[in-house]
Amino acid sequence: MTMVTMNDALEGSHRKGRKFGRDLAGLAVILGLAVVGYLLFPNNLALLTRMTAIALLVLSLDLVTGYCGVATLGHAALFGSGAYAAGIAAVHFGLTDPLLMLGCGILGGALAGLVCGLVILRAHGLPQLVLSIALIHLFHEFANKASSWTGGSDGLAGIAPDPLLGYFEFDLWGRTAYVFGIVLLAGVFTLLRRIVRSPFGMLCRGIKEDPIRIRAMGASPKLALMKMYAISGAVAGTGGALNAISTQVVGLDSLSFTLSAESLVMLVLGGTGSLFGALTGTIVFMFFEDIVSAANPFHWLTMVGVLLVAVVLFAPKGLYGTVVGLAMRWREARR
Amino acid sequence: MSAIFEVQNLKRAFGGLTVTNDVSLAMAAGDRVALIGPNGAGKTTFVNLVTGNLTPDSGDVLIGGESVTRTNAIGRVRRGLVRSFQVTRLFQEMTPAEHVALAVLQRDGRAGRMFGHFLTMPEVMAEVIELLGKLGLRELMHRRVSEIAYGQQRLLEIAVALALKPKVLLLDEPAAGVPQSDTGLIEKALADLPADLAVLMIEHDMDLVFRFAKRVIVLAAGTIIFDGSPSEVTKDPRVREAYLGSYANASHAA
């Protein structure tokens, strides 16, 4: 398991000023892309908002898979739990303030993260993967059966969020939702950059490489991973809540194996172990999906498959990771 | 001086085979002890029993007079029993500075901190630089471990252990796999270990054992057959027999 953590390979030892600069650059890229997206696709903000929500899911997956080396194909459980928590809060408890719904989503996601962590972290490798698949099916079935709460296969409809901060209506064009989403993504991204660089982030990278070594240092890998799972759940729950607020409906697909697998595909596409990689993968995959499925509705999945095979074979570090690798080689050559 | 590290009547069997049979030893602060023994003598099992990776069938392990027999491996590290590994276990993608910083932060209970970066923590960096400097790794502190030589990785292994400020250090073949040209570095590092640290070294390289240890313990077939000074160990008939078989003492008859 030596997937390169691109951020750190690039940053390595370098000074804090540079890192702060990269934080700002990352933020600028997110906001810049958001503006470009808004200008290019003013009639398709719903897609862009969904992309933002999924980006949060992929970032969350990156925390446990990319940074901690946990194999999971059930990460949508955290996303869906956040979505249902926000939706149920609005529909059944009348908590229609979007920030309260967001809070419920974060809490729901974090709780689901703890539950999934407790189960998944008991195993390693293939058994771990199988446990994660079993979990996502259990979550899915549970949501399906508890239809009085979740609406079952019809979905949980009738979510009507109040204006954001009592002022910004969630309009028909999805502008408010889009801006809300981008602000959330930018905030989460900045926070996660800090966390992955912190001593805790370093501890997690150590666990990914050699948990026995970490134990010999007197630290408990299990405890750290559980913490990371809770954080990851909070992030995925943020994405789920955003999805519930923006689409005003929560469907069983948000708790599906398909979404879990797709998010892993996006992460691998962009590059694991890097927050920028997670974002790149999400954007490329979802645009590709949108464009190709419009051009060829029958074979678009085949083309996504071809893209993925190409990336895994020729750019095993993912799109972002490969670009960073090339840039580093270029810089070393110039030295 | 009272014992900082003590093993009392340690026993462990796998199936019908007793691998550690009634082993007792005590060490004081500053002791330099080498544990040697032929292959299959039970050294690895002994290390695992002491570090808490295996539970003994009976007997006790004490650190600073306190029993840790029921404490798990992580708890024993926190009480000051630190080991190094026979085959380096380092994080290939991380730098020596990160290794030592992580150990320092963990020792101080700050490895769970979710903000800040160790490069910006002056007290952590001071310790990192001092420790790596002492072991001659200062220049390499920001290189990735996968890029540095094996001998230097062995030194880093020692640095990580020292960063945890142990009371008892268990060195599992610190010179294993190190090319001859670099063993001098390891020896120097061993000679420079903190004076108040109790060190138990498991080692095959007899030259290193004789230069390092003030006391040698020989383990054979799960029991201690010799515990004394290096100068006497080669003369002891039981040790000779354990290493060379019955030929050792019968050879003069031939």
Side-chain angles (χ1 to χ4, degrees), chain A residues 13 16 19 197-200 205-206 209-210 212-213 216-219, chain B residues 74 78 89 91-93 98 106 111 113-117 120 142 157 160:
Chain A
S13 53
K16 56 176 170 173
K19 283 183 174 156
R197 269 197 331 236
S198 69
F200 175 70
R205 279 188 289 131
E209 280 205 52
D210 191 348
I212 294 175
R213 218 301 156 237
M217 283 180 171
Chain B
I74 294 173
R78 291 187 183 163
R89 297 197 85 114
F91 313 121
Q92 295 299 312
E93 298 296 334
E98 286 178 310
Q106 168 56 33
R113 245 174 74 158
M114 295 195 189
F115 54 90
H117 190 276
T120 63
H142 293 313
E157 184 92 35
V160 170

PDB file of all heavy atoms in Angstrom, chain A residues 13 16 19 197-200 205-206 209-210 212-213 216-219, chain B residues 74 78 89 91-93 98 106 111 113-117 120 142 157 160:
ATOM      1  N   SER A  13       9.230  19.074   2.646  1.00  0.00           N
ATOM      2  CA  SER A  13       9.754  19.739   3.810  1.00  0.00           C
ATOM      3  C   SER A  13       9.523  21.231   3.784  1.00  0.00           C
ATOM      4  O   SER A  13       9.954  21.919   4.665  1.00  0.00           O
ATOM      5  CB  SER A  13      11.239  19.513   3.745  1.00  0.00           C
ATOM      6  OG  SER A  13      11.646  19.934   2.472  1.00  0.00           O
ATOM      7  N   LYS A  16       6.407  26.960   5.658  1.00  0.00           N
ATOM      8  CA  LYS A  16       4.988  27.121   5.915  1.00  0.00           C
ATOM      9  C   LYS A  16       4.352  28.175   5.024  1.00  0.00           C
ATOM     10  O   LYS A  16       3.207  28.082   4.663  1.00  0.00           O
ATOM     11  CB  LYS A  16       4.751  27.470   7.380  1.00  0.00           C
ATOM     12  CG  LYS A  16       5.508  28.708   7.834  1.00  0.00           C
ATOM     13  CD  LYS A  16       5.167  29.064   9.242  1.00  0.00           C
ATOM     14  CE  LYS A  16       6.111  30.145   9.733  1.00  0.00           C
ATOM     15  NZ  LYS A  16       5.785  30.693  11.015  1.00  0.00           N
ATOM     16  N   LYS A  19       3.029  26.640   2.038  1.00  0.00           N
ATOM     17  CA  LYS A  19       1.842  25.841   2.293  1.00  0.00           C
ATOM     18  C   LYS A  19       0.620  26.724   2.399  1.00  0.00           C
ATOM     19  O   LYS A  19      -0.431  26.424   1.880  1.00  0.00           O
ATOM     20  CB  LYS A  19       2.026  25.039   3.578  1.00  0.00           C
ATOM     21  CG  LYS A  19       2.903  23.869   3.310  1.00  0.00           C
ATOM     22  CD  LYS A  19       3.050  23.010   4.501  1.00  0.00           C
ATOM     23  CE  LYS A  19       3.835  21.783   4.100  1.00  0.00           C
ATOM     24  NZ  LYS A  19       4.501  21.188   5.209  1.00  0.00           N
ATOM     25  N   ARG A 197      -2.591  18.046   7.374  1.00  0.00           N
ATOM     26  CA  ARG A 197      -1.215  18.465   7.614  1.00  0.00           C
ATOM     27  C   ARG A 197      -0.834  18.437   9.083  1.00  0.00           C
ATOM     28  O   ARG A 197       0.329  18.495   9.437  1.00  0.00           O
ATOM     29  CB  ARG A 197      -1.043  19.897   7.111  1.00  0.00           C
ATOM     30  CG  ARG A 197      -0.599  19.993   5.701  1.00  0.00           C
ATOM     31  CD  ARG A 197      -0.073  21.364   5.430  1.00  0.00           C
ATOM     32  NE  ARG A 197      -0.698  22.366   6.257  1.00  0.00           N
ATOM     33  CZ  ARG A 197      -1.312  23.434   5.786  1.00  0.00           C
ATOM     34  NH1 ARG A 197      -1.418  23.596   4.496  1.00  0.00           N
ATOM     35  NH2 ARG A 197      -1.813  24.323   6.600  1.00  0.00           N
ATOM     36  N   SER A 198      -1.854  18.376   9.941  1.00  0.00           N
ATOM     37  CA  SER A 198      -1.635  18.460  11.379  1.00  0.00           C
ATOM     38  C   SER A 198      -0.930  17.196  11.886  1.00  0.00           C
ATOM     39  O   SER A 198      -0.799  16.212  11.148  1.00  0.00           O
ATOM     40  CB  SER A 198      -2.982  18.597  12.081  1.00  0.00           C
ATOM     41  OG  SER A 198      -3.686  17.390  11.956  1.00  0.00           O
ATOM     42  N   PRO A 199      -0.482  17.199  13.127  1.00  0.00           N
ATOM     43  CA  PRO A 199       0.069  15.970  13.694  1.00  0.00           C
ATOM     44  C   PRO A 199      -0.874  14.787  13.525  1.00  0.00           C
ATOM     45  O   PRO A 199      -0.441  13.677  13.209  1.00  0.00           O
ATOM     46  CB  PRO A 199       0.236  16.330  15.170  1.00  0.00           C
ATOM     47  CG  PRO A 199       0.492  17.793  15.167  1.00  0.00           C
ATOM     48  CD  PRO A 199      -0.346  18.345  14.057  1.00  0.00           C
ATOM     49  N   PHE A 200      -2.168  15.027  13.673  1.00  0.00           N
ATOM     50  CA  PHE A 200      -3.134  13.939  13.508  1.00  0.00           C
ATOM     51  C   PHE A 200      -3.093  13.380  12.086  1.00  0.00           C
ATOM     52  O   PHE A 200      -3.122  12.168  11.880  1.00  0.00           O
ATOM     53  CB  PHE A 200      -4.543  14.448  13.849  1.00  0.00           C
ATOM     54  CG  PHE A 200      -5.626  13.440  13.605  1.00  0.00           C
ATOM     55  CD1 PHE A 200      -5.731  12.325  14.418  1.00  0.00           C
ATOM     56  CD2 PHE A 200      -6.540  13.603  12.580  1.00  0.00           C
ATOM     57  CE1 PHE A 200      -6.723  11.384  14.193  1.00  0.00           C
ATOM     58  CE2 PHE A 200      -7.529  12.679  12.349  1.00  0.00           C
ATOM     59  CZ  PHE A 200      -7.626  11.568  13.165  1.00  0.00           C
ATOM     60  N   ARG A 205      -1.272   9.079   8.234  1.00  0.00           N
ATOM     61  CA  ARG A 205      -0.441   8.596   7.131  1.00  0.00           C
ATOM     62  C   ARG A 205       0.494   7.495   7.616  1.00  0.00           C
ATOM     63  O   ARG A 205       0.765   6.536   6.903  1.00  0.00           O
ATOM     64  CB  ARG A 205       0.360   9.754   6.530  1.00  0.00           C
ATOM     65  CG  ARG A 205      -0.468  10.580   5.566  1.00  0.00           C
ATOM     66  CD  ARG A 205       0.399  11.581   4.838  1.00  0.00           C
ATOM     67  NE  ARG A 205       0.824  12.636   5.736  1.00  0.00           N
ATOM     68  CZ  ARG A 205       2.077  13.050   5.851  1.00  0.00           C
ATOM     69  NH1 ARG A 205       3.023  12.494   5.141  1.00  0.00           N
ATOM     70  NH2 ARG A 205       2.379  14.003   6.683  1.00  0.00           N
ATOM     71  N   GLY A 206       0.963   7.653   8.855  1.00  0.00           N
ATOM     72  CA  GLY A 206       1.793   6.599   9.430  1.00  0.00           C
ATOM     73  C   GLY A 206       1.013   5.296   9.564  1.00  0.00           C
ATOM     74  O   GLY A 206       1.515   4.221   9.246  1.00  0.00           O
ATOM     75  N   GLU A 209       0.732   3.421   6.386  1.00  0.00           N
ATOM     76  CA  GLU A 209       1.937   2.715   5.954  1.00  0.00           C
ATOM     77  C   GLU A 209       2.278   1.531   6.848  1.00  0.00           C
ATOM     78  O   GLU A 209       2.689   0.483   6.353  1.00  0.00           O
ATOM     79  CB  GLU A 209       3.124   3.682   5.908  1.00  0.00           C
ATOM     80  CG  GLU A 209       3.117   4.512   4.645  1.00  0.00           C
ATOM     81  CD  GLU A 209       4.511   4.980   4.290  1.00  0.00           C
ATOM     82  OE1 GLU A 209       5.413   4.129   4.217  1.00  0.00           O
ATOM     83  OE2 GLU A 209       4.685   6.192   4.097  1.00  0.00           O
ATOM     84  N   ASP A 210       2.145   1.688   8.138  1.00  0.00           N
ATOM     85  CA  ASP A 210       2.545   0.603   9.033  1.00  0.00           C
ATOM     86  C   ASP A 210       1.923   0.759  10.429  1.00  0.00           C
ATOM     87  O   ASP A 210       2.505   1.388  11.312  1.00  0.00           O
ATOM     88  CB  ASP A 210       4.073   0.580   9.143  1.00  0.00           C
ATOM     89  CG  ASP A 210       4.561  -0.684   9.840  1.00  0.00           C
ATOM     90  OD1 ASP A 210       3.721  -1.409  10.416  1.00  0.00           O
ATOM     91  OD2 ASP A 210       5.770  -0.949   9.813  1.00  0.00           O
ATOM     92  N   ILE A 212       1.712  -1.308  12.778  1.00  0.00           N
ATOM     93  CA  ILE A 212       2.501  -1.936  13.854  1.00  0.00           C
ATOM     94  C   ILE A 212       3.549  -0.956  14.371  1.00  0.00           C
ATOM     95  O   ILE A 212       3.794  -0.854  15.574  1.00  0.00           O
ATOM     96  CB  ILE A 212       3.155  -3.238  13.344  1.00  0.00           C
ATOM     97  CG1 ILE A 212       2.057  -4.249  13.030  1.00  0.00           C
ATOM     98  CG2 ILE A 212       4.126  -3.795  14.370  1.00  0.00           C
ATOM     99  CD1 ILE A 212       2.538  -5.527  12.421  1.00  0.00           C
ATOM    100  N   ARG A 213       4.122  -0.196  13.456  1.00  0.00           N
ATOM    101  CA  ARG A 213       5.109   0.807  13.842  1.00  0.00           C
ATOM    102  C   ARG A 213       4.447   1.863  14.739  1.00  0.00           C
ATOM    103  O   ARG A 213       5.026   2.307  15.729  1.00  0.00           O
ATOM    104  CB  ARG A 213       5.646   1.479  12.573  1.00  0.00           C
ATOM    105  CG  ARG A 213       7.095   1.810  12.559  1.00  0.00           C
ATOM    106  CD  ARG A 213       7.541   2.728  13.639  1.00  0.00           C
ATOM    107  NE  ARG A 213       8.961   2.559  13.901  1.00  0.00           N
ATOM    108  CZ  ARG A 213       9.445   2.245  15.092  1.00  0.00           C
ATOM    109  NH1 ARG A 213       8.648   1.991  16.096  1.00  0.00           N
ATOM    110  NH2 ARG A 213      10.735   2.171  15.275  1.00  0.00           N
ATOM    111  N   ALA A 216       4.050   0.599  18.107  1.00  0.00           N
ATOM    112  CA  ALA A 216       5.333   0.596  18.813  1.00  0.00           C
ATOM    113  C   ALA A 216       5.736   1.997  19.253  1.00  0.00           C
ATOM    114  O   ALA A 216       6.661   2.160  20.041  1.00  0.00           O
ATOM    115  CB  ALA A 216       6.419  -0.024  17.921  1.00  0.00           C
ATOM    116  N   MET A 217       5.053   3.002  18.719  1.00  0.00           N
ATOM    117  CA  MET A 217       5.295   4.368  19.181  1.00  0.00           C
ATOM    118  C   MET A 217       4.353   4.712  20.336  1.00  0.00           C
ATOM    119  O   MET A 217       4.378   5.837  20.844  1.00  0.00           O
ATOM    120  CB  MET A 217       5.062   5.364  18.047  1.00  0.00           C
ATOM    121  CG  MET A 217       6.164   5.445  17.032  1.00  0.00           C
ATOM    122  SD  MET A 217       5.684   6.666  15.782  1.00  0.00           S
ATOM    123  CE  MET A 217       7.176   6.813  14.845  1.00  0.00           C
ATOM    124  N   GLY A 218       3.492   3.789  20.665  1.00  0.00           N
ATOM    125  CA  GLY A 218       2.591   4.018  21.794  1.00  0.00           C
ATOM    126  C   GLY A 218       1.279   4.679  21.416  1.00  0.00           C
ATOM    127  O   GLY A 218       0.550   5.157  22.281  1.00  0.00           O
ATOM    128  N   ALA A 219       0.960   4.704  20.126  1.00  0.00           N
ATOM    129  CA  ALA A 219      -0.311   5.290  19.697  1.00  0.00           C
ATOM    130  C   ALA A 219      -1.258   4.188  19.241  1.00  0.00           C
ATOM    131  O   ALA A 219      -0.808   3.157  18.747  1.00  0.00           O
ATOM    132  CB  ALA A 219      -0.083   6.273  18.561  1.00  0.00           C
TER     133      ALA A 219
ATOM    134  N   ILE B  74       0.750  -1.137  23.596  1.00  0.00           N
ATOM    135  CA  ILE B  74       0.744   0.331  23.548  1.00  0.00           C
ATOM    136  C   ILE B  74       0.994   0.899  24.945  1.00  0.00           C
ATOM    137  O   ILE B  74       1.780   1.826  25.127  1.00  0.00           O
ATOM    138  CB  ILE B  74      -0.596   0.829  22.973  1.00  0.00           C
ATOM    139  CG1 ILE B  74      -0.728   0.399  21.517  1.00  0.00           C
ATOM    140  CG2 ILE B  74      -0.701   2.344  23.087  1.00  0.00           C
ATOM    141  CD1 ILE B  74      -2.076   0.696  20.901  1.00  0.00           C
ATOM    142  N   ARG B  78       4.032   3.372  26.513  1.00  0.00           N
ATOM    143  CA  ARG B  78       3.776   4.619  27.257  1.00  0.00           C
ATOM    144  C   ARG B  78       4.442   4.591  28.622  1.00  0.00           C
ATOM    145  O   ARG B  78       4.706   5.638  29.205  1.00  0.00           O
ATOM    146  CB  ARG B  78       2.270   4.830  27.401  1.00  0.00           C
ATOM    147  CG  ARG B  78       1.650   5.155  26.049  1.00  0.00           C
ATOM    148  CD  ARG B  78       0.211   5.528  26.165  1.00  0.00           C
ATOM    149  NE  ARG B  78      -0.335   5.757  24.824  1.00  0.00           N
ATOM    150  CZ  ARG B  78      -1.623   5.790  24.549  1.00  0.00           C
ATOM    151  NH1 ARG B  78      -2.512   5.615  25.514  1.00  0.00           N
ATOM    152  NH2 ARG B  78      -2.034   6.003  23.327  1.00  0.00           N
ATOM    153  N   ARG B  89      11.076  -0.877  10.359  1.00  0.00           N
ATOM    154  CA  ARG B  89       9.677  -0.573  10.092  1.00  0.00           C
ATOM    155  C   ARG B  89       9.563   0.934  10.115  1.00  0.00           C
ATOM    156  O   ARG B  89       9.340   1.535  11.145  1.00  0.00           O
ATOM    157  CB  ARG B  89       8.788  -1.162  11.175  1.00  0.00           C
ATOM    158  CG  ARG B  89       8.818  -2.654  11.260  1.00  0.00           C
ATOM    159  CD  ARG B  89       7.640  -3.145  12.041  1.00  0.00           C
ATOM    160  NE  ARG B  89       6.501  -3.263  11.175  1.00  0.00           N
ATOM    161  CZ  ARG B  89       5.935  -4.434  10.885  1.00  0.00           C
ATOM    162  NH1 ARG B  89       6.384  -5.542  11.402  1.00  0.00           N
ATOM    163  NH2 ARG B  89       4.886  -4.481  10.108  1.00  0.00           N
ATOM    164  N   PHE B  91       8.187   4.539   7.779  1.00  0.00           N
ATOM    165  CA  PHE B  91       7.198   4.970   6.801  1.00  0.00           C
ATOM    166  C   PHE B  91       7.939   5.464   5.575  1.00  0.00           C
ATOM    167  O   PHE B  91       8.541   6.538   5.593  1.00  0.00           O
ATOM    168  CB  PHE B  91       6.311   6.060   7.394  1.00  0.00           C
ATOM    169  CG  PHE B  91       5.813   5.727   8.771  1.00  0.00           C
ATOM    170  CD1 PHE B  91       6.101   6.538   9.847  1.00  0.00           C
ATOM    171  CD2 PHE B  91       5.061   4.584   8.985  1.00  0.00           C
ATOM    172  CE1 PHE B  91       5.650   6.222  11.121  1.00  0.00           C
ATOM    173  CE2 PHE B  91       4.607   4.257  10.254  1.00  0.00           C
ATOM    174  CZ  PHE B  91       4.900   5.072  11.336  1.00  0.00           C
ATOM    175  N   GLN B  92       7.905   4.668   4.525  1.00  0.00           N
ATOM    176  CA  GLN B  92       8.731   4.939   3.347  1.00  0.00           C
ATOM    177  C   GLN B  92       8.446   6.295   2.720  1.00  0.00           C
ATOM    178  O   GLN B  92       9.321   6.924   2.150  1.00  0.00           O
ATOM    179  CB  GLN B  92       8.533   3.838   2.304  1.00  0.00           C
ATOM    180  CG  GLN B  92       9.010   2.469   2.758  1.00  0.00           C
ATOM    181  CD  GLN B  92      10.497   2.444   3.067  1.00  0.00           C
ATOM    182  OE1 GLN B  92      11.301   2.928   2.285  1.00  0.00           O
ATOM    183  NE2 GLN B  92      10.861   1.896   4.216  1.00  0.00           N
ATOM    184  N   GLU B  93       7.203   6.744   2.803  1.00  0.00           N
ATOM    185  CA  GLU B  93       6.830   7.991   2.138  1.00  0.00           C
ATOM    186  C   GLU B  93       7.066   9.211   3.029  1.00  0.00           C
ATOM    187  O   GLU B  93       6.788  10.325   2.635  1.00  0.00           O
ATOM    188  CB  GLU B  93       5.358   7.950   1.722  1.00  0.00           C
ATOM    189  CG  GLU B  93       5.025   6.858   0.719  1.00  0.00           C
ATOM    190  CD  GLU B  93       5.733   7.068  -0.615  1.00  0.00           C
ATOM    191  OE1 GLU B  93       6.055   8.222  -0.927  1.00  0.00           O
ATOM    192  OE2 GLU B  93       5.973   6.065  -1.304  1.00  0.00           O
ATOM    193  N   GLU B  98       9.759  13.906   9.985  1.00  0.00           N
ATOM    194  CA  GLU B  98       8.380  13.549  10.318  1.00  0.00           C
ATOM    195  C   GLU B  98       8.328  12.379  11.298  1.00  0.00           C
ATOM    196  O   GLU B  98       7.508  12.354  12.214  1.00  0.00           O
ATOM    197  CB  GLU B  98       7.602  13.204   9.042  1.00  0.00           C
ATOM    198  CG  GLU B  98       7.248  14.418   8.204  1.00  0.00           C
ATOM    199  CD  GLU B  98       6.516  14.060   6.917  1.00  0.00           C
ATOM    200  OE1 GLU B  98       6.989  13.172   6.185  1.00  0.00           O
ATOM    201  OE2 GLU B  98       5.484  14.666   6.639  1.00  0.00           O
ATOM    202  N   GLN B 106       3.745  12.168  19.902  1.00  0.00           N
ATOM    203  CA  GLN B 106       3.019  11.054  20.513  1.00  0.00           C
ATOM    204  C   GLN B 106       3.405  10.916  21.990  1.00  0.00           C
ATOM    205  O   GLN B 106       2.557  10.754  22.856  1.00  0.00           O
ATOM    206  CB  GLN B 106       3.329   9.770  19.734  1.00  0.00           C
ATOM    207  CG  GLN B 106       2.884   8.493  20.401  1.00  0.00           C
ATOM    208  CD  GLN B 106       1.396   8.502  20.714  1.00  0.00           C
ATOM    209  OE1 GLN B 106       0.592   9.067  19.998  1.00  0.00           O
ATOM    210  NE2 GLN B 106       1.024   7.886  21.830  1.00  0.00           N
ATOM    211  N   ALA B 111      -0.155  13.827  19.494  1.00  0.00           N
ATOM    212  CA  ALA B 111      -0.217  13.307  18.125  1.00  0.00           C
ATOM    213  C   ALA B 111      -1.636  13.357  17.568  1.00  0.00           C
ATOM    214  O   ALA B 111      -1.847  13.166  16.379  1.00  0.00           O
ATOM    215  CB  ALA B 111       0.320  11.879  18.066  1.00  0.00           C
ATOM    216  N   ARG B 113      -3.492  16.054  17.712  1.00  0.00           N
ATOM    217  CA  ARG B 113      -3.832  17.450  17.449  1.00  0.00           C
ATOM    218  C   ARG B 113      -4.197  17.659  15.995  1.00  0.00           C
ATOM    219  O   ARG B 113      -3.506  17.201  15.101  1.00  0.00           O
ATOM    220  CB  ARG B 113      -2.630  18.333  17.788  1.00  0.00           C
ATOM    221  CG  ARG B 113      -2.911  19.267  18.940  1.00  0.00           C
ATOM    222  CD  ARG B 113      -1.673  20.005  19.327  1.00  0.00           C
ATOM    223  NE  ARG B 113      -1.360  21.045  18.348  1.00  0.00           N
ATOM    224  CZ  ARG B 113      -0.596  22.100  18.638  1.00  0.00           C
ATOM    225  NH1 ARG B 113      -0.091  22.235  19.845  1.00  0.00           N
ATOM    226  NH2 ARG B 113      -0.329  22.993  17.723  1.00  0.00           N
ATOM    227  N   MET B 114      -5.285  18.379  15.773  1.00  0.00           N
ATOM    228  CA  MET B 114      -5.768  18.505  14.391  1.00  0.00           C
ATOM    229  C   MET B 114      -5.453  19.848  13.766  1.00  0.00           C
ATOM    230  O   MET B 114      -6.031  20.216  12.762  1.00  0.00           O
ATOM    231  CB  MET B 114      -7.273  18.251  14.350  1.00  0.00           C
ATOM    232  CG  MET B 114      -7.608  16.840  14.728  1.00  0.00           C
ATOM    233  SD  MET B 114      -9.253  16.417  14.290  1.00  0.00           S
ATOM    234  CE  MET B 114      -9.376  14.841  15.114  1.00  0.00           C
ATOM    235  N   PHE B 115      -4.586  20.610  14.368  1.00  0.00           N
ATOM    236  CA  PHE B 115      -4.209  21.882  13.760  1.00  0.00           C
ATOM    237  C   PHE B 115      -2.711  22.071  13.934  1.00  0.00           C
ATOM    238  O   PHE B 115      -2.077  21.376  14.722  1.00  0.00           O
ATOM    239  CB  PHE B 115      -4.978  23.038  14.403  1.00  0.00           C
ATOM    240  CG  PHE B 115      -4.827  23.073  15.895  1.00  0.00           C
ATOM    241  CD1 PHE B 115      -3.804  23.790  16.489  1.00  0.00           C
ATOM    242  CD2 PHE B 115      -5.702  22.353  16.705  1.00  0.00           C
ATOM    243  CE1 PHE B 115      -3.663  23.793  17.856  1.00  0.00           C
ATOM    244  CE2 PHE B 115      -5.560  22.353  18.079  1.00  0.00           C
ATOM    245  CZ  PHE B 115      -4.538  23.078  18.660  1.00  0.00           C
ATOM    246  N   GLY B 116      -2.189  23.019  13.196  1.00  0.00           N
ATOM    247  CA  GLY B 116      -0.754  23.270  13.296  1.00  0.00           C
ATOM    248  C   GLY B 116       0.054  22.252  12.510  1.00  0.00           C
ATOM    249  O   GLY B 116      -0.484  21.258  12.015  1.00  0.00           O
ATOM    250  N   HIS B 117       1.338  22.515  12.383  1.00  0.00           N
ATOM    251  CA  HIS B 117       2.230  21.616  11.664  1.00  0.00           C
ATOM    252  C   HIS B 117       3.523  21.569  12.457  1.00  0.00           C
ATOM    253  O   HIS B 117       3.959  22.594  12.986  1.00  0.00           O
ATOM    254  CB  HIS B 117       2.469  22.166  10.259  1.00  0.00           C
ATOM    255  CG  HIS B 117       3.183  21.195   9.371  1.00  0.00           C
ATOM    256  ND1 HIS B 117       4.540  21.056   9.364  1.00  0.00           N
ATOM    257  CD2 HIS B 117       2.709  20.309   8.479  1.00  0.00           C
ATOM    258  CE1 HIS B 117       4.875  20.117   8.499  1.00  0.00           C
ATOM    259  NE2 HIS B 117       3.787  19.643   7.940  1.00  0.00           N
ATOM    260  N   THR B 120       6.243  24.121  12.395  1.00  0.00           N
ATOM    261  CA  THR B 120       6.031  25.428  13.016  1.00  0.00           C
ATOM    262  C   THR B 120       5.969  25.322  14.535  1.00  0.00           C
ATOM    263  O   THR B 120       5.578  26.267  15.203  1.00  0.00           O
ATOM    264  CB  THR B 120       4.734  26.067  12.503  1.00  0.00           C
ATOM    265  OG1 THR B 120       3.647  25.225  12.893  1.00  0.00           O
ATOM    266  CG2 THR B 120       4.741  26.218  11.002  1.00  0.00           C
ATOM    267  N   HIS B 142      14.836  15.999   5.647  1.00  0.00           N
ATOM    268  CA  HIS B 142      13.667  16.270   4.824  1.00  0.00           C
ATOM    269  C   HIS B 142      13.605  15.407   3.565  1.00  0.00           C
ATOM    270  O   HIS B 142      12.801  15.659   2.675  1.00  0.00           O
ATOM    271  CB  HIS B 142      13.605  17.747   4.449  1.00  0.00           C
ATOM    272  CG  HIS B 142      13.365  18.633   5.631  1.00  0.00           C
ATOM    273  ND1 HIS B 142      12.395  18.360   6.566  1.00  0.00           N
ATOM    274  CD2 HIS B 142      13.967  19.773   6.032  1.00  0.00           C
ATOM    275  CE1 HIS B 142      12.417  19.308   7.490  1.00  0.00           C
ATOM    276  NE2 HIS B 142      13.362  20.157   7.200  1.00  0.00           N
ATOM    277  N   GLU B 157      15.715   4.374  12.912  1.00  0.00           N
ATOM    278  CA  GLU B 157      14.956   3.469  13.781  1.00  0.00           C
ATOM    279  C   GLU B 157      15.326   3.737  15.252  1.00  0.00           C
ATOM    280  O   GLU B 157      14.467   3.806  16.130  1.00  0.00           O
ATOM    281  CB  GLU B 157      15.272   2.021  13.385  1.00  0.00           C
ATOM    282  CG  GLU B 157      14.505   0.971  14.130  1.00  0.00           C
ATOM    283  CD  GLU B 157      13.208   0.572  13.432  1.00  0.00           C
ATOM    284  OE1 GLU B 157      13.156   0.538  12.205  1.00  0.00           O
ATOM    285  OE2 GLU B 157      12.241   0.296  14.155  1.00  0.00           O
ATOM    286  N   VAL B 160      13.924   7.201  16.348  1.00  0.00           N
ATOM    287  CA  VAL B 160      12.490   7.159  16.682  1.00  0.00           C
ATOM    288  C   VAL B 160      12.296   6.601  18.085  1.00  0.00           C
ATOM    289  O   VAL B 160      11.530   7.133  18.892  1.00  0.00           O
ATOM    290  CB  VAL B 160      11.719   6.315  15.640  1.00  0.00           C
ATOM    291  CG1 VAL B 160      10.288   6.064  16.097  1.00  0.00           C
ATOM    292  CG2 VAL B 160      11.712   7.015  14.284  1.00  0.00           C
TER     293      VAL B 160
END
